[in-house]
Amino acid sequence: MNPPGDAPVHMVVDPAWQWGFGLLHFGVAALTVVLAARGPIRQRDWRELTFRMVVLFSGALGAVVFEGAVDRAGKLWYAEQGAWPLVTLWGVHVPLWVAPVYLWFIGGGALVIIQKIRNGGRPRDFLYIFGGIAVADLLLEIPIIKIAGLYTYYGDNQPFFHPEWFPLPLWFITTNRLLDLVPAMLILVLMSARSKHVMWAIPVVMFGSMYVSYAFVTWPTIAALHSGASALVAHLAATYTIVIGLLATYFGAQLAPRMKELMKHHEKPRAAPDVTASPLPVRA
């Protein structure tokens, strides 16, 4: 597929920034894996360890099967010349360093939500998590766009966006939180099945939920971006995307605590206390 006519196809990667951000995100991804694996390894809970690793690396594979599609739909373009290649999808050349971002941002974010649900989180706990995801999104994307120039958003009718003052469209920020929430909830629903092999369906659920959550809120914005709609129409469409995204986040936070018991039958039983280790006191 040929690149879109208004995409900045002549962008060139700065090698120093690519190495800097690439090593940073591979490091964060490695730290995420270590932190997720530490508890199950200490407890010798190999099923829990496998579950967590499947969630994280299913998130990473989203860089291959999802990123190019969402970029083409939302008009994001990666610098192609000099980039570390990963995959080309829908005419978008996705670089290699996107895979660790997907591991820690989407796989890790979904795992944090899953663990909070399993541990009995309250609705406000999830709202705090979603707020943290929004802040992480800003801290992640704006430096890469403004300082490194490794990718950019484009389009004459891109809503809630300015290439200099606000280079990350607002509708992306509210949408990206669903890319953690929806996979987390659907994975929990999947794991409610009692089959011991059910976790191997997690990659399919992860990929599918990425597309579902993105399309659920962004369809009018994408239609406006690709139909030549006026700036007014594009902003109205993006307003719908933002409002529905925020409402979905809020109601998701209310629903999440009710899903606490869905994975109970997959958890390793705790060892019964050893009564022989604490004998009854002997009377004098």
Side-chain angles (χ1 to χ4, degrees):
M1 180 177 289
N2 295 324
D6 54 348
V9 296
H10 302 299
M11 291 176 63
V12 178
V13 169
D14 183 310
W17 284 116
Q18 179 168 239
W19 274 101
F21 278 103
L23 292 176
L24 171 64
H25 290 299
F26 272 105
V28 174
L31 179 61
T32 301
V33 171
V34 170
L35 293 175
R38 184 173 56 180
I41 289 176
R42 286 178 177 175
Q43 299 167 9
R44 298 183 180 274
D45 190 346
W46 310 123
R47 181 173 177 79
E48 178 67 21
L49 176 64
T50 302
F51 168 73
R52 294 186 183 190
M53 294 303 104
V54 170
V55 172
L56 290 179
F57 285 94
S58 295
L61 288 174
V64 176
V65 301
F66 175 70
E67 177 65 14
V70 71
D71 295 338
R72 187 62 180 266
K75 293 199 169 183
L76 180 153
W77 189 261
Y78 286 98
E80 176 183 351
Q81 300 181 47
W84 300 337
L86 175 63
V87 67
T88 300
L89 183 64
W90 290 95
V92 177
H93 298 265
V94 180
L96 178 63
W97 57 265
V98 175
V101 173
Y102 264 69
L103 187 148
W104 72 260
F105 186 75
I106 295 185
L111 189 58
V112 166
I113 294 171
I114 289 171
Q115 293 305 102
K116 180 60 70 173
I117 292 174
R118 295 171 73 186
N119 293 331
R122 297 165 297 178
R124 68 180 182 182
D125 295 328
F126 296 100
L127 294 177
Y128 289 146
I129 291 173
F130 301 145
I133 292 171
V135 172
D137 198 7
L138 289 167
L139 295 178
L140 166 67
E141 295 207 52
I142 289 182
I144 297 177
I145 296 170
K146 290 294 293 180
I147 301 174
L150 297 180
Y151 66 85
T152 188
Y153 295 87
Y154 65 94
D156 293 335
N157 62 344
Q158 182 73 254
F160 298 107
F161 164 82
H162 190 281
E164 296 298 328
W165 304 112
F166 198 73
L168 176 60
L170 182 60
W171 64 275
F172 261 95
I173 300 173
T174 58
T175 300
N176 282 351
R177 297 184 301 179
L178 298 180
L179 298 181
D180 291 317
L181 172 64
V182 176
M185 288 186 159
L186 291 183
I187 287 170
L188 280 172
V189 172
L190 173 71
M191 294 298 292
S192 67
R194 293 187 175 273
S195 170
K196 64 180 181 179
H197 302 298
V198 71
M199 74 170 67
W200 300 114
I202 287 176
V204 177
V205 171
M206 178 72 83
F207 305 154
S209 61
M210 290 179 188
Y211 278 98
V212 168
S213 57
Y214 187 83
F216 175 67
V217 296
T218 65
W219 63 268
T221 306
I222 293 169
L225 285 172
H226 291 274
S227 64
S230 67
L232 175 61
V233 171
H235 277 80
L236 290 174
T239 299
Y240 171 93
T241 294
I242 292 167
V243 170
I244 297 299
L246 291 174
L247 288 175
T249 298
Y250 174 78
F251 285 111
Q254 310 307 308
L255 175 62
R258 304 181 184 183
M259 306 175 75
K260 178 182 176 181
E261 305 296 325
L262 290 184
M263 276 191 66
K264 279 293 184 182
H265 54 282
H266 288 282
E267 295 177 1
K268 183 179 181 181
R270 295 184 179 181
D274 186 358
V275 295
T276 62
S278 302
L280 293 174
V282 178
R283 294 183 181 180

